[in-house]
């Protein structure tokens, strides 16, 4: 049962072939069996999940009309507030904090009857690309337990790829949904900025943050997308427009006549051989399905990484000022009449990890008077140029494509002491966030040199999220018929290959 897609599980529930309690218990058993090795979860709420499942089963029995994902279990990134459940954002500074309210995403999940099984591991405050910056230790890639699952939503991606959950939620500020999806062989979508409410999403970089869905298929991801998205008056940046019809697009999966633009700057040098090869093959598949492949030029993308690593730390240095030892979370050094300033300083020293401190310092510097124009101001100008590059490219193509990440999953410990090397891995995902548009990563096969999954990235203009699903579903179907079986059947760790 746990190896089925969420859509198949929903079907089985609707037909009365199984119950949500049974389905949830099967996933909780899987978590017990493998999460000691994968470490996808920071907190498993077995009791809460079974209670939710039971209530959905009762409502179904009484003939109530339920939403398509009612009764389906899900793993939630620990960056989203859930009432009464420990929420840490992967940081020691929030250890033991239980929010007194639900984030809008959680409210929507609860309304739809989705069963939230627990909170997943992540890089502290979503700062990182490997989940190694978590204050609670790393998550391990189900394909090879010596490697990282990517990040920052590595726990959510690992939960889905190890069959601990059919669906998960992540957040993507610079690639944190798409890159771990790529590195673990699943589907991940970063919706258009403003499409999913940020109310109750612990802020890293507010102008870039956006929560989104993970699934093992394009359709599953679309089903979750429709549950999460929609206007929310509690978020001032929320878009007041109908949610794009992503489920219908995932079901149609047609690319005949679609123009697909290959971004010249996001391929070739610096991309692993097997990554580039799977990307090129996927393009051929799309062409043989009737899509027209064109090349587009985005010259400002060269500066995207530099701009992002100024804007994101600048915003984080402001957002993280709220962790002041006074309002919530950790407090240390409160002895012998210590001053508030001393307590604050001791708490932030003890509670924040290395990468978070590095970014707060960087951002504070970039925003300081005398440096603002040279750093933050220039970065914002680059952001405008990137928006213009996309706008021009989208006059030539309906969707744009690139590899999701330049390499497959690397070893735990390989890059964690070299932040620049880690940052370079975000080169292909970051432009989407800077422009506020949407992007998907879906599996394109395995790289021949290491037999690890490669991600194919699709990008579409703001609020055209359905185009991602339309092109993604077409490519997914073509590749599946070529492979003969879903890619996760080839994952050797955890008895994945059968
Ligand atoms: N890896 C990028 C960073 O470290 C992106 C993280 C994210 O999307 N949350 O900031």
């Amino acid at each position: 049962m746990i190896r089925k897609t969420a859509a198949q599980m929903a079907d089985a529930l609707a037909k009365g072939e199984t119950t949500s309690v049974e389905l949830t218990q099967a996933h909780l058993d899987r978590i017990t069996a493998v999460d000691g090795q994968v470490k996808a979860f920071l907190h498993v709420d077995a009791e809460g999940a079974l209670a939710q499942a039971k209530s959905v089963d009762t409502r179904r029995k009484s003939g109530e009309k339920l939403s398509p994902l009612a009764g389906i279990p899900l793993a939630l990134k620990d960056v989203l507030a859930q009432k009464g459940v420990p929420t840490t954002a992967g940081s020691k500074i929030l250890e033991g904090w239980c929010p007194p309210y639900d984030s809008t995403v959680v409210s929507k999940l609860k309304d739809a009857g989705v069963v939230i099984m627990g909170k997943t591991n992540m890089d502290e405050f979503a700062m990182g690309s490997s989940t190694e910056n978590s204050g609670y230790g790393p998550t391990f890639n189900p394909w090879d337990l010596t490697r990282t699952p990517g990040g920052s939503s590595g726990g959510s991606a690992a939960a889905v790829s190890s069959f601990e959950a059919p669906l998960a939620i992540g957040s993507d500020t610079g690639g944190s949904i798409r890159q771990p999806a790529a590195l673990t062989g699943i589907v991940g979508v970063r919706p258009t900025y403003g499409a999913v409410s940020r109310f109750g999403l612990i802020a890293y970089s507010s102008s870039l943050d956006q929560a989104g869905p993970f699934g093992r298929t394009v359709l599953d991801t679309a089903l979750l997308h429709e549950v999460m998205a929609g206007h929310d008056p509690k978020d001032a940046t929320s878009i007041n427009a109908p949610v794009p019809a992503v489920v219908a697009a995932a079901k149609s999966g047609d690319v005949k006549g679609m123009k697909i633009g290959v971004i010249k700057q996001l391929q070739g040098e610096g991309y692993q051989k097997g990554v580039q090869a799977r990307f090129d093959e996927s393009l051929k598949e799309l062409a043989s399905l009737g899509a027209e492949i064109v090349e587009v030029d985005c010259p400002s993308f060269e500066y995207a990484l530099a701009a992002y690593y100024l804007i994101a730390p600048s915003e984080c240095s402001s957002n993280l000022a709220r962790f002041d030892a006074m309002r919530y979370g950790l407090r240390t050094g409160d002895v012998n009449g210590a001053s508030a300033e001393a307590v604050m300083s001791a708490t932030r020293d003890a509670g924040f990890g290395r990468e978070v401190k590095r970014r707060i310092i960087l951002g504070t510097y970039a925003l300081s008077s005398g440096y603002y124009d040279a750093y933050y101001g220039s970065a914002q100008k680059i952001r405008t140029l990137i928006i213009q590059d996309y706008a021009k490219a989208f006059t030539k193509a309906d969707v744009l494509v690139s590899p999701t990440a330049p390499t497959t999953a690397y070893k735990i410990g390989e890059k964690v002491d070299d932040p620049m090397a880690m940052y370079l891995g975000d080169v292909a995902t970051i432009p989407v966030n800077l422009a506020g548009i949407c992007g998907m990563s879906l599996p394109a096969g395995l790289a021949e040199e290491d037999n690890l999954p490669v991600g194919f990235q699709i990008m579409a203009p703001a609020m055209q999220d359905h185009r991602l699903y339309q092109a993604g579903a077409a490519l997914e179907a073509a590749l599946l018929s070529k492979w003969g079986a879903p890619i996760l059947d080839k994952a050797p760790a955890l008895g994945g290959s059968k």
Side-chain angles (χ1 to χ4, degrees):
M1 183 56 94
I2 60 170
R3 298 186 73 93
K4 289 192 188 307
T5 68
Q8 290 166 340
M9 291 177 196
D11 207 39
L13 284 173
K15 288 191 184 131
E17 292 166 4
T18 186
T19 63
S20 177
V21 167
E22 224 168 62
L23 198 55
T24 304
Q25 190 58 55
H27 285 95
L28 292 170
D29 291 347
R30 175 71 175 170
I31 293 171
T32 306
V34 303
D35 209 51
Q37 296 170 74
V38 179
K39 299 208 182 298
F41 285 88
L42 289 177
H43 178 80
V44 178
D45 180 19
E47 211 179 298
L50 288 167
Q52 278 176 286
K54 209 170 152 196
S55 118
V56 173
D57 286 340
T58 312
R59 284 162 56 196
R60 193 184 301 277
K61 254 206 193 126
S62 73
E64 200 179 312
K65 177 143 176 39
L66 301 170
S67 117
L69 289 182
I72 306 291
L74 169 139
L76 184 66
K77 187 177 183 180
D78 204 24
V79 73
L80 283 150
Q82 183 182 353
K83 190 174 177 178
V85 174
T87 300
T88 67
S91 182
K92 286 281 179 191
I93 212 159
L94 278 175
E95 193 164 20
W97 181 61
C98 288
Y101 71 105
D102 278 332
S103 51
T104 296
V105 166
V106 166
S107 304
K108 283 179 177 283
L109 293 172
K110 287 183 176 172
D111 288 349
V114 176
V115 174
I116 306 174
M117 291 193 296
K119 308 300 290 288
T120 59
N121 197 18
M122 56 183 283
D123 287 298
E124 186 176 5
F125 290 108
M127 297 175 200
S129 311
S130 68
T131 320
E132 290 165 285
N133 293 336
S134 166
Y136 302 92
T139 295
F140 300 89
N141 192 322
W143 283 79
D144 172 349
L145 296 166
T146 67
R147 291 177 193 266
T148 132
S152 64
S153 315
S156 286
V160 172
S161 56
S162 64
F163 299 92
E164 291 173 87
L167 297 170
I169 285 177
S171 67
D172 190 314
T173 303
S176 282
I177 293 174
R178 289 161 288 155
Q179 182 258 20
L183 271 45
T184 58
I186 62 169
V187 182
V189 170
R190 130 100 197 186
T192 297
Y193 181 77
V196 174
S197 171
R198 288 186 298 108
F199 178 75
L201 171 76
I202 297 172
Y204 159 20
S205 181
S206 310
S207 75
L208 302 163
D209 297 340
Q210 187 68 189
F214 283 107
R216 289 190 289 263
T217 66
V218 171
L219 176 60
D220 285 3
T221 312
L223 288 164
L224 183 54
H225 188 134
E226 283 200 356
V227 169
M228 304 172 67
H231 179 242
D232 179 12
K234 289 183 189 148
D235 171 1
T237 57
S238 169
I239 295 174
N240 193 354
V243 178
V246 295
V247 171
K251 285 182 175 162
S252 96
D254 181 11
V255 289
K256 218 181 183 84
M258 192 184 250
K259 281 198 182 142
I260 296 185
V262 180
I263 300 178
K264 204 167 107 189
Q265 282 74 11
L266 299 183
Q267 53 169 326
E269 206 193 324
Y271 288 80
Q272 191 180 316
K273 203 169 134 264
V275 169
Q276 187 67 45
R278 295 298 84 75
F279 176 72
D280 293 342
E281 283 167 18
S282 302
L283 279 182
K284 285 206 186 103
E285 292 291 338
L286 288 165
S288 73
L289 294 171
E292 187 189 333
I293 313 291
V294 297
E295 191 176 76
V296 298
D297 197 21
C298 293
S300 306
F301 283 22
E302 191 187 328
Y303 309 107
L305 260 183
Y308 173 88
Y309 278 102
L310 283 167
I311 292 168
S314 296
E315 293 187 13
C316 106
S317 72
S318 164
N319 273 325
L320 270 56
R322 79 193 64 192
F323 302 105
D324 58 4
M326 302 297 146
R327 283 175 280 191
Y328 33 59
L330 186 71
R331 177 184 294 181
T332 60
D334 191 1
V335 285
N336 303 330
S339 68
E341 200 181 341
V343 174
M344 231 178 259
S345 170
T347 301
R348 290 166 69 84
D349 185 30
F352 287 142
R354 256 190 335 168
E355 184 64 22
V356 170
K357 285 177 184 157
R358 179 182 293 123
R359 295 195 190 193
I360 292 173
I361 293 168
L362 234 154
T364 306
Y365 181 81
L367 291 175
S368 57
S369 92
Y371 294 102
Y372 182 95
D373 289 336
Y375 297 115
Y376 186 75
S378 304
Q380 289 290 29
K381 287 179 189 161
I382 297 295
R383 192 169 185 174
T384 301
L385 293 176
I386 287 166
I387 292 169
Q388 289 170 351
D389 275 0
Y390 269 125
K392 211 169 131 205
F394 282 125
T395 63
K396 297 194 181 112
D398 303 304
V399 295
L400 302 175
V401 295
S402 77
T404 308
T407 69
T408 54
Y410 41 88
K411 294 268 183 191
I412 302 266
E414 195 178 320
K415 295 192 185 171
V416 71
D417 292 320
D418 185 355
M420 277 299 281
M422 181 95 72
Y423 299 168
L424 284 173
D426 301 333
V427 65
T429 48
I430 270 173
V432 160
N433 303 73
L434 289 171
I437 63 170
C438 55
M440 166 187 283
S441 178
L442 76 156
L446 306 182
E448 55 272 23
E449 51 277 8
D450 51 24
N451 274 318
L452 290 168
V454 171
F456 184 89
Q457 179 176 227
I458 309 174
M459 298 158 261
M463 291 312 271
Q464 301 295 313
D465 304 46
H466 51 285
R467 293 190 202 170
L468 307 174
Y469 289 92
Q470 196 173 332
L475 178 59
E476 175 182 65
L479 291 174
L480 184 62
S481 77
K482 195 167 121 184
W483 301 334
I487 193 165
L488 285 171
D489 284 4
K490 299 197 182 82
L494 309 173
S497 63
K498 38 167 137 152

